[in-house]
Amino acid sequence: MEGLGGEPPGRILEGAFQYLVDVLGELKPLAYVTLSTGVEYALYLLRDGEVYVAEGGLGRVVLPYVAGVIVEAHTHPASCLPSGRDVDTALARYMEGLYSSSIVSPSCTLITYRVAPVAEEELEELKRGLSSLDPARGGGALTRSVRAVFIE
């Protein structure tokens, strides 16, 4: 199977994942600010390549809906595990074509990312997988379409 510019799809996705790791590294210093202040920050990568970082409030980032987001990430003060609201947001965004939803904390980074389009029938399984993540058990496949990786 041939992907973009003759590159195999697996290599394209591997490159996209490495780019994602690099971009999320830029959010790590803000996770320390979140730890000391409680103010969360969000990073959005749009389809056109624009990257936006927004300052939220205490314990959350609430922004108007932004279309065309392919990567979203935000900081947490202590853990990189998703809250119930984070899970619901990720589910909705994955159905819209999101590539990755991530949480960056001082102690770890959780990266969830698509390897295939998310089908509606996967949503319950994905919700259970996102809700039961544990850094001690590591990441892996949450569904046939979504993977999770923990980075310290």
Side-chain angles (χ1 to χ4, degrees), residues 13-25:
L13 287 173
E14 185 179 309
F17 181 79
Q18 188 52 57
Y19 174 75
L20 178 60
V21 170
D22 293 344
V23 168
L24 293 178

Side-chain angles (χ1 to χ4, degrees), residues 6-7 11 53-54 65-67 77 82 99 115 122 145 151:
E7 287 287 326
R11 186 168 296 146
V53 175
Y65 177 80
V66 178
Y99 169 66
V115 295
E122 288 181 87
S145 303
I151 299 173

Side-chain angles (χ1 to χ4, degrees), residues 10 20 24 40 50 57 59 62 65 74-75 80-81 90 97 101-102 107 111 128 138:
L20 178 60
L24 293 178
E40 291 189 5
E50 292 289 323
V62 178
Y65 177 80
H74 68 281
T75 60
C80 60
L81 295 175
S101 178
S102 301
S107 62
I111 301 173
R128 282 191 306 276

Side-chain angles (χ1 to χ4, degrees), residues 50-71:
E50 292 289 323
V51 176
Y52 294 97
V53 175
E55 181 179 86
L58 290 175
R60 64 189 202 165
V61 180
V62 178
L63 296 172
Y65 177 80
V66 178
V69 173
I70 59 171
V71 170

Side-chain angles (χ1 to χ4, degrees), residues 34-57:
T34 300
L35 177 64
S36 65
T37 66
V39 174
E40 291 189 5
Y41 294 84
L43 177 145
Y44 297 98
L45 173 61
L46 305 179
R47 282 191 177 96
D48 66 5
E50 292 289 323
V51 176
Y52 294 97
V53 175
E55 181 179 86

